[in-house]
Amino acid sequence: GALGGLGLGLWRRQQQAAMAASEEDGDEEDEEELRRRFMAPPVSGLRELRRRRRELRSRMELLIMETQAEVCRALAALDPGAAFAVDTWERKEGGGGISCVLQDGEVFEKAGVNVSVVFGHLSEEAARQMRSRGKSLKAKDGKLPFCAMGVSSVIHPKNPHVPTMHFNYRYFEIEEADGSKQWWFGGGTDLTPTYLNEEDAVHFHKTLKEACDKHDLKLYPKYKKWCDDYFYIKHRGERRGIGGIFFDDVDSPSKEEVFQFVKSCAKAVVPCYIPIVKRHCHDSFTPEEKLWQQLRRGRYVEFNLVYDRGTKFGLLTPGSRIESILMSLPLTARWEYMHIPPESSKEAEILEVLRNPKDWVH
């Protein structure tokens, strides 16, 4: 019996050593996988994401991490002289994020791709903003636990013939007083050219339409119109750009179906935009064209600071990171008093489309 006990003890020690060794191997594999797949370790940690891999929150976090890495690598390949600064941050109220920003490259003046995964309690101000959109949120002792995650990007190129592009895909979950959860997805991808190029506009919209059509033929026209309506600079009477798709508060037909739709949209980002950058990043341009780009950038800033809901929500969320929220602003912009382009000019042509959105795919 004593020998048997000794044998069992030895066996246990060997098992524990083997498990520790396999865990170390696992850690090394994790590190390797992290380097290969992402720009930085996920906010929730790879182990935790693996443990809860069937939960939608984990799958969404993996999707936004993969999207960030995919887009950063595609942009870096076009601007080899520049590098992304990768900045991980923590939010003391819960969660954190990864900001990847490339500044002052040959091709991109500023390109940022952010991931954030935050949780905690909604501020009263943020809850009020949501209720104003028709959300009936029942707080417990004045508190609303929430989890929000998303990937968000704005790309400002140097060349005025390369459009600015923005995309954002996000997931939101709120726990109400009775323990039930409300969830929804939002997002979109849109293009803001300085000069109109019909071929680029058609390529961009067609690529997004194909992503939507895989799920439901009604989605593209609905979300295209929503995009034109949302990116409207009311005080100027014009859209921010030539649109794309935009949606918010989407919670049907089912969590899985909406997630798959969001995944298709996220996967369409690189193919809808990168070919346009490649086509124009070496185009020649004049000082006048650069000036017009700066004035259009001013409009971009106006929309983001005055109307954009994501910017407002970020500014109202306690502990949110201001640098990451305002990453969408260009490095340079300009406001000139009473600047009106000449009639029938290329500048007047883009203004016409911004005032009267077009159908690019039919």
Side-chain angles (χ1 to χ4, degrees):
L3 272 177
L6 186 67
L8 192 62
L10 181 64
W11 179 81
R12 278 208 184 109
R13 284 198 299 279
Q14 284 171 337
Q15 287 295 99
Q16 282 164 346
M19 276 171 72
S22 83
E23 271 191 21
E24 270 178 37
D25 287 350
D27 285 351
E28 278 174 30
E29 274 171 37
D30 283 359
E31 281 299 307
E32 189 48 50
E33 183 178 1
L34 285 175
R35 273 196 295 273
R36 198 176 65 246
R37 283 177 70 186
F38 307 133
M39 299 301 284
V43 175
S44 302
L46 202 55
R47 278 215 174 144
E48 184 61 12
L49 289 176
R50 284 223 179 102
R51 198 174 65 76
R52 299 196 327 247
R53 65 179 169 272
R54 288 191 177 83
E55 286 180 30
L56 194 119
R57 267 168 67 163
S58 299
R59 291 164 68 205
M60 183 65 182
E61 187 169 345
L62 285 170
L63 173 65
I64 61 180
M65 292 294 302
E66 279 163 9
T67 304
Q68 180 184 47
E70 213 172 275
V71 173
C72 286
R73 285 175 187 139
L75 296 173
L78 295 178
D79 207 341
F84 274 96
V86 179
D87 192 7
T88 58
W89 51 273
E90 279 182 28
R91 175 176 174 269
K92 70 175 191 298
E93 293 82 356
I98 302 145
S99 299
C100 297
V101 182
L102 182 159
Q103 272 183 164
D104 231 353
E106 289 288 305
V107 175
F108 302 108
E109 185 180 281
K110 189 174 176 197
V113 192
N114 283 352
V115 154
S116 66
V117 179
V118 298
F119 47 86
H121 293 99
L122 269 193
S123 70
E124 193 43 54
E125 189 61 33
R128 198 176 305 130
Q129 194 191 327
M130 286 188 172
R131 288 192 183 103
S132 73
R133 301 204 325 257
K135 295 273 170 210
S136 61
L137 305 172
K138 294 181 277 296
K140 187 177 187 176
D141 307 324
K143 287 188 171 169
L144 272 169
F146 83 100
C147 163
M149 61 179 72
V151 57
S152 164
S153 171
V154 177
I155 298 152
H156 293 292
K158 281 199 162 162
N159 193 309
H161 299 294
V162 182
T164 284
M165 195 266 280
H166 156 259
F167 76 88
N168 169 288
Y169 290 100
R170 58 194 178 276
Y171 173 69
F172 214 95
E173 205 175 80
I174 283 181
E175 193 176 317
E176 296 196 83
D178 61 1
S180 65
K181 284 183 180 168
Q182 277 203 47
W183 59 268
W184 59 89
F185 289 88
T189 304
D190 62 281
L191 198 70
T192 304
T194 302
Y195 288 96
L196 185 63
N197 180 301
E198 298 237 350
E199 199 184 327
D200 295 344
V202 170
H203 165 80
F204 184 80
H205 277 270
K206 267 196 166 156
T207 311
L208 294 179
K209 182 181 184 298
E210 280 162 20
C212 294
D213 286 355
K214 281 184 207 162
H215 300 271
D216 186 339
L217 297 179
K218 293 193 207 81
L219 296 179
Y220 170 76
K222 180 181 174 182
Y223 295 157
K224 191 259 186 206
K225 182 181 183 320
W226 199 339
C227 188
D228 288 334
D229 292 345
Y230 178 76
F231 291 105
Y232 182 58
I233 310 172
K234 218 176 288 175
H235 61 269
R236 297 284 189 183
E238 59 192 48
R239 272 85 197 154
R240 186 176 78 176
I242 59 158
I245 56 171
F246 178 85
F247 55 91
D248 208 355
D249 300 333
V250 177
D251 57 7
S252 65
S254 72
K255 208 182 244 191
E256 184 59 34
E257 285 169 282
V258 187
F259 173 70
Q260 291 300 337
F261 165 66
V262 167
K263 191 173 180 176
S264 295
C265 294
K267 295 287 173 208
V269 169
V270 167
C272 77
Y273 182 60
I274 295 298
I276 297 174
V277 182
K278 281 184 177 165
R279 200 179 297 148
H280 300 292
C281 62
H282 300 301
D283 288 4
S284 60
F285 58 89
T286 66
E288 291 73 25
E289 287 170 333
K290 188 68 187 170
L291 169 68
W292 177 243
Q293 181 195 43
Q294 297 293 290
L295 291 166
R296 296 312 309 164
R297 291 258 181 85
R299 297 286 206 269
Y300 207 92
V301 172
E302 287 174 33
F303 178 84
N304 279 28
L305 294 183
V306 178
Y307 300 113
D308 188 68
R309 232 162 43 200
T311 305
K312 282 183 180 175
F313 180 80
L315 297 175
L316 295 173
T317 303
S320 59
R321 193 165 183 272
I322 301 305
E323 282 298 313
S324 299
I325 294 163
L326 298 182
M327 171 214 78
S328 63
L329 302 180
L331 216 49
T332 61
R334 186 177 174 106
W335 286 266
E336 264 187 33
Y337 185 68
M338 297 296 281
H339 183 281
I340 298 163
E343 272 183 51
S344 307
S345 63
K346 297 290 280 176
E347 291 77 12
E349 179 190 31
I350 184 82
L351 280 181
E352 177 55 32
V353 171
L354 300 178
R355 287 170 188 154
N356 304 290
K358 279 181 72 167
D359 177 353
W360 298 102
V361 292
H362 295 105

